[in-house]
């Protein structure tokens, strides 16, 4: 695998993101992450999506840390400070699931995890929850889903995919800004562009939309259908915390609330005045929602029901 590594100096002077990066080696490819909060706090795994990186969680992390939680935010392979396979062909849905699995379980040895997954962070994270339910205490799904290709994707998503696939020059900061209601500062925009010194580093960004299952015969459809079967039995706490203005994933919120048993009887918040990247538009609010969810479900999560795969 041909791999590119973004120079460290690209990440100098990041606004409101003082966390020292840490790294794990996944069979020769380096994955970066940051963490904050007490080392013995309940772990909260913050998974970002396309085309962002852990910087997206800079408003969420301090809220969780102040609540006594161990906030862990990795950069997906191909994004942020993590290594970047140089060709689109090196990226697959299964490979991204395996990279995050290896990071969270083999390298960090996490158990009792609260997943917070947004965008691809949910596509990957919900697969991990279904395939390794014993590792997770609870789930927060935020502007995400688990597509199988059986239902059509919204037109706005197809427009996004076409741009990302075909544009001769991609500006990641512009893509992030398009998914926000608030206007990002010049410093924040620069931080989103930092991982990509030139267009050769963007194979992961360009590949990810093509990996979303859009037909029933997609390579990932079988695994995602199997994951839905497991999620339909998931009785640990499951919070659906979507924003009020995300046209890409809005239709998934009622599906998750109705099909996952662990979502029953929970007051699912709507994060107001926020777009697709709700961490940017309402990060502190999302952090508070997650912290309160963990605090209110400690007893329930510590005595979970058994699942067939355990």
């Amino acid at each position: 695998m041909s791999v590119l590594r973004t120079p460290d100096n690209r990440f100098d002077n990041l606004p409101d993101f003082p966390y020292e990066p840490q790294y794990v080696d996944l069979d020769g490819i380096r994955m970066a992450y940051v963490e904050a909060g007490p080392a013995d706090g309940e772990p909260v795994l913050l998974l970002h999506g396309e085309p962002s990186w852990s910087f997206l969680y800079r408003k969420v992390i301090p809220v969780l840390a102040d609540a006594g939680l161990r906030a862990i935010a990795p950069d997906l392979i191909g994004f942020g400070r993590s290594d970047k396979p140089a060709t689109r062909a090196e990226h697959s849905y299964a490979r991204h699931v395996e990279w995050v699995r290896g990071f969270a379980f083999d390298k960090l040895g996490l158990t009792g995890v609260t997943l917070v997954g947004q965008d691809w962070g949910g596509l990957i994270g919900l697969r991990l929850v279904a395939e390794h339910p014993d590792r997770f205490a609870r789930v927060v799904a935020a502007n995400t889903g688990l597509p199988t290709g059986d239902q059509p994707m919204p037109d706005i998503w197809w427009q996004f995919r076409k741009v990302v696939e075909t544009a001769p020059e991609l500006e990641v900061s512009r893509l992030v800004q398009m998914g926000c209601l608030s206007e990002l500062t010049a410093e924040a925009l620069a931080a989103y562009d930092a991982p990509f010194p030139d267009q050769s580093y963007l194979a992961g960004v360009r590949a990810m939309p093509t990996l979303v299952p859009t037909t029933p015969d997609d390579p990932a459809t079988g695994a995602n259908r199997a994951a839905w079967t497991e999620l339909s039995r998931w009785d640990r706490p499951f919070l659906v915390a979507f924003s009020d203005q995300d046209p890409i994933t809005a239709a998934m919120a009622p599906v998750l609330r109705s099909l996952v048993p662990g979502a029953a009887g929970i007051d699912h918040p709507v994060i107001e005045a926020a777009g697709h990247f709700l961490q940017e538009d309402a990060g502190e609010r999302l952090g508070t929602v997650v912290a309160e969810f963990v605090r209110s479900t400690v007893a329930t999560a510590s005595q979970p029901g058994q699942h067939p795969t355990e």
Side-chain angles (χ1 to χ4, degrees), residues 175-253:
L175 297 176
V176 175
Q177 179 65 83
M178 289 169 60
C180 300
L181 300 186
S182 55
E183 185 173 351
L184 304 184
T185 65
E187 293 78 12
L189 292 170
Y192 283 114
D193 287 326
F196 312 106
D198 60 52
Q199 296 293 305
S200 68
Y201 287 75
L202 287 164
V205 172
R206 291 189 183 273
M208 291 303 263
T210 70
L211 304 181
V212 176
T214 58
T215 61
D217 60 351
D218 186 274
T221 291
N224 279 15
R225 284 180 179 157
W228 272 114
T229 298
E230 293 302 321
L231 290 172
S232 71
R233 304 178 183 131
W234 174 268
D235 59 5
R236 302 180 196 182
F238 191 104
L239 187 71
V240 180
F242 277 43
S243 67
D244 62 345
Q245 298 188 54
D246 180 19
I248 297 174
T249 65
M252 282 305 305

Side-chain angles (χ1 to χ4, degrees), residues 74-89:
D75 296 334
L76 297 182
I77 297 298
F79 299 82
R81 292 185 173 102
S82 290
D83 284 350
K84 298 168 182 65
T87 66
R88 299 188 206 184

Side-chain angles (χ1 to χ4, degrees), residues 4-245:
L4 302 174
R5 182 169 294 174
T6 304
D8 291 342
N9 63 9
R10 294 279 300 182
F11 301 99
D12 290 345
N13 303 315
L14 295 171
D16 302 315
F17 200 67
Y19 312 104
E20 283 296 317
Q22 302 182 61
Y23 302 94
V24 300
D25 182 85
L26 302 171
D27 295 326
I29 192 165
R30 192 175 77 166
M31 192 169 194
Y33 70 103
V34 299
E35 68 171 270
D40 61 350
E42 284 205 56
V44 181
L45 182 61
L46 303 166
L47 296 183
H48 71 84
E50 156 87 348
S52 61
W53 60 292
S54 57
F55 177 78
L56 179 68
Y57 281 102
R58 70 192 180 282
K59 300 176 186 178
V60 177
I61 291 172
V63 178
L64 301 181
D66 288 346
L69 301 171
R70 181 188 177 193
I72 304 164
D75 296 334
L76 297 182
I77 297 298
F79 299 82
R81 292 185 173 102
S82 290
D83 284 350
K84 298 168 182 65
T87 66
R88 299 188 206 184
E90 299 289 357
H91 294 268
S92 72
Y93 196 148
R95 184 168 273 177
H96 276 279
V97 172
E98 175 58 19
W99 279 325
V100 178
R101 187 208 64 79
F103 161 76
F105 305 151
D106 294 347
K107 299 300 181 178
L108 268 61
L110 299 179
T111 58
V113 177
T114 296
L115 168 72
V116 179
Q118 183 261 341
D119 191 87
W120 262 99
L123 272 71
I124 294 168
L126 292 175
R127 277 275 296 274
L128 290 175
V129 170
E131 294 168 9
H132 306 275
D134 56 309
R135 293 280 188 162
F136 292 89
R138 58 184 74 76
V139 174
V140 179
N143 290 1
T144 192
L146 191 63
T148 60
D150 297 304
Q151 301 296 327
M153 298 294 289
D155 289 344
I156 190 170
W157 180 84
W158 282 106
Q159 294 166 14
F160 170 80
R161 171 173 164 163
K162 182 178 180 180
V163 169
V164 172
E165 273 192 282
T166 63
E169 298 283 324
L170 268 186
E171 190 175 8
V172 166
S173 61
R174 183 169 178 269
L175 297 176
V176 175
Q177 179 65 83
M178 289 169 60
C180 300
L181 300 186
S182 55
E183 185 173 351
L184 304 184
T185 65
E187 293 78 12
L189 292 170
Y192 283 114
D193 287 326
F196 312 106
D198 60 52
Q199 296 293 305
S200 68
Y201 287 75
L202 287 164
V205 172
R206 291 189 183 273
M208 291 303 263
T210 70
L211 304 181
V212 176
T214 58
T215 61
D217 60 351
D218 186 274
T221 291
N224 279 15
R225 284 180 179 157
W228 272 114
T229 298
E230 293 302 321
L231 290 172
S232 71
R233 304 178 183 131
W234 174 268
D235 59 5
R236 302 180 196 182
F238 191 104
L239 187 71
V240 180
F242 277 43
S243 67
D244 62 345
Q245 298 188 54

